[in-house]
């Protein structure tokens, strides 16, 4: 048998050329798609943002219907709201896992997002589900060093944010009746100031009661 010359090993330059060609072909295919043409038809940056928002909402609605119709999920506003977060959360998880081990970051990110989707649909672990999700979402916020702030800092930040929000709401509810009455009377001089002031007091008192009943705020 005559000796045969083995095939030469693929060089790094050849491999790079092949990968580059595949990337360019994928890019070309994407730019020839209907989705790209719709996006490219925008006449302004605002138009691009609107098309992006519309496309994301359509994808969320489709995913929601499939989860309900095919996989038996119950209709839930919590699940619907969570699906809007999936692309951003998956992206941040990928970056976090990639920085940690560089191995299986996409699979681990999708597993994490799937687990959170099950929790949002009431199929996950019991407990303080909503607050836990708020902390997990806030924990993915980037820090100044290219990482994420983590759950401890996120929990403290949410406590401060909640306190600040409650303070602002109390200040808004305790707004001076006279100032409100004068502002409305300037626009509608036909209204009697005494009747108007009584109405404003009634509205503010009712708003305070609602805030106390629903949010536990002491006004």
């Amino acid at each position: 048998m005559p000796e045969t010359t083995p095939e030469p090993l693929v060089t790094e330059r050849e491999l790079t050329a092949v990968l580059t060609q595949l990337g360019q072909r994928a890019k070309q295919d994407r730019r020839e798609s209907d989705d790209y043409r719709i996006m490219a038809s925008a006449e302004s940056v605002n138009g691009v943002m609107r098309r992006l928002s519309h496309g994301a909402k359509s994808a969320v609605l489709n995913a929601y219907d499939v989860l309900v119709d095919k996989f038996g999920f119950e209709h839930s506003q919590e699940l619907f709201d969570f699906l809007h977060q999936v692309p951003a959360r998956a992206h941040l998880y990928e970056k976090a896992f990639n920085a940690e081990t560089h191995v299986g970051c996409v699979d681990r990110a999708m597993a994490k997002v799937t687990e959170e989707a099950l929790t949002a649909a009431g199929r996950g672990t019991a407990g303080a589900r909503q607050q836990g999700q708020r902390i997990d979402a806030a924990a993915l916020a980037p820090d100044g060093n290219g990482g994420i702030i983590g759950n401890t800092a996120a929990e403290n930040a949410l406590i401060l944010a909640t306190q600040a929000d409650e303070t602002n709401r109390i200040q808004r509810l305790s707004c001076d009746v006279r100032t409100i009455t004068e502002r409305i009377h300037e626009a509608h001089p036909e209204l009697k100031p005494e009747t108007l002031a009584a109405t404003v007091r009634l509205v503010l008192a009712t708003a305070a009661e609602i805030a106390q009943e629903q949010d536990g705020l002491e006004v």
Side-chain angles (χ1 to χ4, degrees), residues 65-185:
D65 287 344
V66 169
L67 289 174
V68 171
D69 298 339
K70 183 175 181 179
F71 295 97
F73 281 43
E74 294 184 2
H75 287 283
S76 165
Q77 185 66 41
E78 186 177 354
L79 174 62
F80 182 74
D81 291 339
F82 173 77
L83 292 177
H84 284 84
Q85 305 176 32
V86 168
R89 293 178 69 79
H91 176 67
L92 289 173
Y93 279 137
E94 286 179 26
K95 293 177 64 177
F97 288 137
N98 184 63
E100 179 186 7
T101 62
H102 303 282
V103 177
C105 58
V106 175
D107 292 337
R108 294 168 66 190
M110 296 315 302
K112 180 69 173 174
V113 173
T114 300
E115 178 185 349
E116 293 175 346
L118 292 171
T119 301
R123 297 187 174 191
T125 57
R129 202 168 66 221
Q130 292 183 345
Q131 180 64 12
Q133 286 183 341
R134 288 186 67 202
I135 294 174
D136 288 342
L140 292 173
D143 60 16
N145 300 316
I148 56 177
I149 64 173
N151 286 63
T152 301
E155 186 173 5
N156 293 334
L158 286 175
I159 292 174
L160 293 175
T162 301
Q163 291 176 346
D165 183 59
E166 291 179 354
T167 301
N168 291 334
R169 293 184 64 184
I170 292 173
Q171 290 176 347
R172 288 195 299 270
L173 290 174
S174 61
C175 188
D176 184 49
V177 173
R178 178 179 299 177
T179 303
I180 298 175
T181 302
E182 291 177 351
R183 178 68 59 85
I184 297 176
H185 189 261

